Amino acid sequence: MADQSLTTTSYVILGLVRTLQPCTSYEMKSLVKISIGMFWSFPHSQLYAEPMRLVEKGMLTENQETTGRKRRLFRMTPEGDSALDKWLRQPTSAPTELRDIGQLRLFFSDGLTTDEVRDLALAREKMHRDRYDELVATREKVASAATPAKLRTMEIGFKWEETAAEFWASVAADPPVGG
Amino acid sequence: MADQSLTTTSYVILGLVRTLQPCTSYEMKSLVKISIGMFWSFPHSQLYAEPMRLVEKGMLTENQETTGRKRRLFRMTPEGDSALDKWLRQPTSAPTELRDIGQLRLFFSDGLTTDEVRDLALAREKMHRDRYDELVATREKVASAATPAKLRTMEIGFKWEETAAEFWASVAADPPVGG
DNA sequence: CCTATCATGTAATCCGTTACATGATTAT
DNA sequence: ATAATCATGTAACGGATTACATGATAGG
């Protein structure tokens, strides 16, 4: 019975529910927003839809209020717990998906002028520096409440924004030409 | 008329066709594999389906062979060219989507033992170092044929693999505990 | 000659996104 | 009071992924 075909999103939901249970989709959304959602976007509709699928698969239980907002409160089932545990311990060699519009533009930039490429680079540099600042602010807010593992996860975000900002600065300083 | 609702995938196809035209989906696939596909995965079925949509939108023309394999050869139309040009020049502040299973696991690792977290970190470190090596090999292969912009795009890939490998090494050296 | 891999395409399902909608709180 | 924002949910469409399937070419 029923650990068939869970997606990555499924495991994210399971992880969120284990962290927050009992919890509503909105609470999941709030946690996502200040953490993993900074790098892996999950539209809120997913955070409402996926838990329902997981209820049907026996991974979560749902208690819907009968009055007022009729909010849905989710909790782990033993099946959900063990599915999550199994996933957490599975080795993965899956590469990072690094989806960046700026990189795509640069890749296809052969027809642009030097100035246009520089503009792209400067805009991207600024974006990364802004995000770095956002991350700093977020970390300050959550530092006291988050677990060590969760805080540690943020570090790679800092590193990425830093590295990417430097990369774009170097492109702006010396735009590729020719092609 | 008719630059409605192109997706990022659409622009990737347009960029590929501009680079390779006239070309088949398989040729696009080959280029993707050694370049942007290293960080943004495009299943080959997309590289067959999306060009057909673009033909319908007037962005590409298609010449299908009548004999043998009946391969489809794609070319840019003026509309496709201008849509791509416009996109390349549009500013974006869209953040990078950095989708990494390892990060998700770390984020939800509060229930794991120190050793299990270390195993995760070591596996991820190895993955990133392996990918770094792959990138080196790929760059050597393509160095003479690629444009400066396209080569430059690869650099951020190197940086990422390096940065991520170092991050995971530090996690392995000092795994987060408690929670 | 046969097998493996390259090359080309289609089908079906489902997930993810966008948009719509509205009920509750808080602020002014 | 009223507007704004927070909170909660659903609908619908389309694209992305997975799987199926088979035609060519090259290597042994």
Side-chain angles (χ1 to χ4, degrees):
Chain A
M1 34 145 302
D3 52 345
Q4 342 95 294
S5 69
L6 299 188
T7 67
T8 301
T9 302
S10 309
Y11 292 109
V12 169
I13 298 293
L14 289 175
L16 291 168
V17 174
R18 178 183 279 174
T19 303
L20 300 168
Q21 71 179 329
C23 65
T24 66
S25 290
Y26 188 77
E27 292 168 310
M28 298 182 220
K29 177 184 154 185
S30 304
L31 175 52
V32 165
K33 188 181 176 184
I34 58 171
S35 57
I36 49 178
M38 297 231 182
F39 293 102
W40 189 321
S41 71
F42 298 96
H44 84 273
S45 61
Q46 254 185 96
L47 306 182
Y48 284 87
E50 184 63 26
M52 292 196 251
R53 285 176 213 138
L54 291 173
V55 168
E56 270 162 34
K57 294 185 181 179
M59 303 286 168
L60 296 178
T61 61
E62 169 194 6
N63 273 72
Q64 185 164 22
E65 295 174 348
T66 51
T67 78
R69 288 189 187 197
K70 307 192 5 181
R71 294 184 306 164
R72 296 186 156 99
L73 265 185
F74 298 99
R75 285 181 180 82
M76 305 295 282
T77 63
E79 289 77 23
D81 264 315
S82 78
L84 177 57
D85 282 332
K86 203 181 296 177
W87 180 77
L88 285 172
R89 289 174 174 85
Q90 262 169 29
T92 333
S93 57
T96 308
E97 291 265 337
L98 211 169
R99 304 187 172 191
D100 187 283
I101 301 286
Q103 273 183 262
L104 289 183
R105 295 236 170 100
L106 181 61
F107 188 77
F108 293 120
S109 70
D110 295 317
L112 297 185
T113 67
T114 299
D115 280 348
E116 285 170 334
V117 174
R118 185 179 295 117
D119 286 347
L120 166 65
L122 290 173
R124 287 269 111 189
E125 184 191 356
K126 174 165 168 31
M127 182 278 282
H128 286 293
R129 297 211 188 279
D130 288 348
R131 290 218 110 212
Y132 188 92
D133 294 342
E134 271 180 59
L135 277 174
V136 171
T138 301
R139 184 170 58 180
E140 275 172 22
K141 261 188 241 166
V142 306
S144 56
T147 65
K150 288 183 168 46
L151 278 175
R152 198 67 171 273
T153 307
M154 296 187 77
E155 272 181 40
I156 187 71
F158 284 101
K159 295 270 178 63
W160 165 249
E161 303 298 356
E162 232 171 30
T163 303
E166 278 165 25
F167 168 75
W168 286 110
S170 88
V171 172
D174 179 26
V177 288
Chain B
M1 36 150 301
D3 51 345
Q4 342 97 296
S5 72
L6 299 188
T7 67
T8 301
T9 303
S10 309
Y11 293 108
V12 168
I13 297 293
L14 289 175
L16 291 167
V17 173
R18 178 183 280 173
T19 304
L20 299 168
Q21 70 181 330
C23 65
T24 65
S25 290
Y26 189 77
E27 291 168 307
M28 297 182 220
K29 177 184 154 184
S30 305
L31 175 52
V32 165
K33 189 182 175 182
I34 59 171
S35 58
I36 49 178
M38 297 231 182
F39 294 103
W40 189 321
S41 70
F42 298 96
H44 83 273
S45 60
Q46 255 185 96
L47 305 182
Y48 283 86
E50 184 63 26
M52 291 195 251
R53 284 175 217 140
L54 291 172
V55 168
E56 273 161 33
K57 295 185 180 179
M59 304 286 168
L60 297 177
T61 62
E62 168 194 8
N63 274 70
Q64 185 164 22
E65 295 173 347
T66 50
T67 79
R69 290 189 184 195
K70 309 194 352 181
R71 293 184 306 164
R72 296 185 155 101
L73 265 185
F74 299 99
R75 284 179 181 83
M76 303 296 282
T77 63
E79 289 77 20
D81 263 317
S82 77
L84 178 57
D85 280 334
K86 203 181 299 180
W87 180 76
L88 285 172
R89 288 174 174 86
Q90 261 168 29
T92 333
S93 57
T96 308
E97 290 264 337
L98 212 168
R99 304 186 172 192
D100 186 283
I101 302 287
Q103 273 183 262
L104 288 184
R105 296 237 169 99
L106 181 62
F107 188 76
F108 293 120
S109 70
D110 295 317
L112 297 184
T113 67
T114 299
D115 280 350
E116 284 170 335
V117 174
R118 185 178 294 116
D119 286 348
L120 167 65
L122 290 173
R124 287 269 110 188
E125 184 192 357
K126 174 164 168 34
M127 183 278 282
H128 285 292
R129 297 211 189 280
D130 288 349
R131 292 218 109 211
Y132 188 93
D133 294 342
E134 271 180 59
L135 277 174
V136 170
T138 301
R139 184 170 56 180
E140 275 171 23
K141 259 188 245 166
V142 305
S144 56
T147 65
K150 287 183 170 42
L151 279 176
R152 197 66 171 274
T153 307
M154 297 187 76
E155 273 181 41
I156 188 72
F158 283 103
K159 294 272 179 63
W160 164 248
E161 303 298 355
E162 232 170 30
T163 302
E166 278 165 26
F167 168 75
W168 288 109
S170 86
V171 172
D174 178 25
V177 288

